[in-house]
Amino acid sequence: MHATRISALAAAAILAATSVSARSVSAAYPQSVADALQDNGYRAELSTDSEGDPMIISHASGARFAIFFYGCENNRDCKDMSFTASFAVDDTITLGSLNSWNSTKLMGRAYLDDDNDPVVMHFVAGVDAMPAPTFKRLMDRWEIALDEFTDFIGW
């Protein structure tokens, strides 16, 4: 009976470990990112960018954003990701105001794109087997950054 109980506990531990790893997020598996987004209540549309690398379109804080994948080999086995949102606004946003934003924010580096529209992004390096709670924390922080940035630019 004792051996049976130990076997049952070992099986439960293996199942729990498998369950946790199944919920992990990895840039090499973009579907895992899309699944994690959906698990946290976000929409996630998995597609490809202009170079054929994976990308995900989602929404938070009333804004559309994309997750781009980097360090990919033949459009697969990606290593890094960036969360990026751009906003078409009038030309009232200046480089000086974005520099001010960048000097006070840890998450959400901002710049002006080729059309002088503000863009906010956050690069995440080495996304490999990120635990689900860590990804949730990342999304919570990204949503705060998006919310603050849209307020900052008056969008």
Side-chain angles (χ1 to χ4, degrees):
M1 183 140 174
H2 184 64
T4 303
R5 185 167 185 215
I6 291 173
S7 294
L9 289 174
I14 290 169
L15 182 59
T18 302
S19 175
V20 169
S21 67
R23 291 190 319 239
S24 67
V25 175
S26 177
Y29 302 100
Q31 186 63 53
S32 71
V33 179
D35 291 345
L37 283 166
Q38 291 171 343
D39 288 348
N40 286 289
Y42 298 93
R43 288 184 272 166
E45 178 186 325
L46 180 58
S47 61
T48 57
D49 66 15
S50 61
E51 295 179 15
D53 288 334
M55 73 177 243
I56 296 172
I57 301 298
S58 189
H59 295 80
S61 294
R64 179 180 186 265
F65 70 91
I67 300 175
F68 295 102
F69 292 77
Y70 296 92
C72 308
E73 296 176 24
N74 297 318
N75 307 116
R76 304 177 73 97
D77 299 321
C78 307
K79 302 195 180 13
D80 311 310
M81 303 183 311
S82 75
F83 294 71
T84 306
S86 60
F87 302 88
V89 298
D90 59 20
D91 292 335
T92 60
I93 307 301
T94 65
L95 284 176
S97 66
L98 293 181
N99 283 340
S100 175
W101 165 270
N102 288 334
S103 70
T104 62
K105 301 297 179 186
L106 179 61
M107 183 177 229
R109 180 178 66 96
Y111 61 92
L112 294 176
D113 66 12
D114 292 341
D115 296 323
N116 279 337
D117 291 324
V119 177
V120 62
M121 60 109 39
H122 182 69
F123 186 80
V124 185
V127 181
D128 185 25
M130 178 185 284
T134 303
F135 185 79
K136 181 179 181 342
R137 172 88 172 130
L138 172 64
M139 287 307 304
D140 290 346
R141 297 299 303 149
W142 171 244
E143 188 161 1
I144 289 168
L146 268 180
D147 189 48
E148 290 176 352
F149 190 73
T150 57
D151 285 348
F152 180 76
I153 63 171
W155 189 76

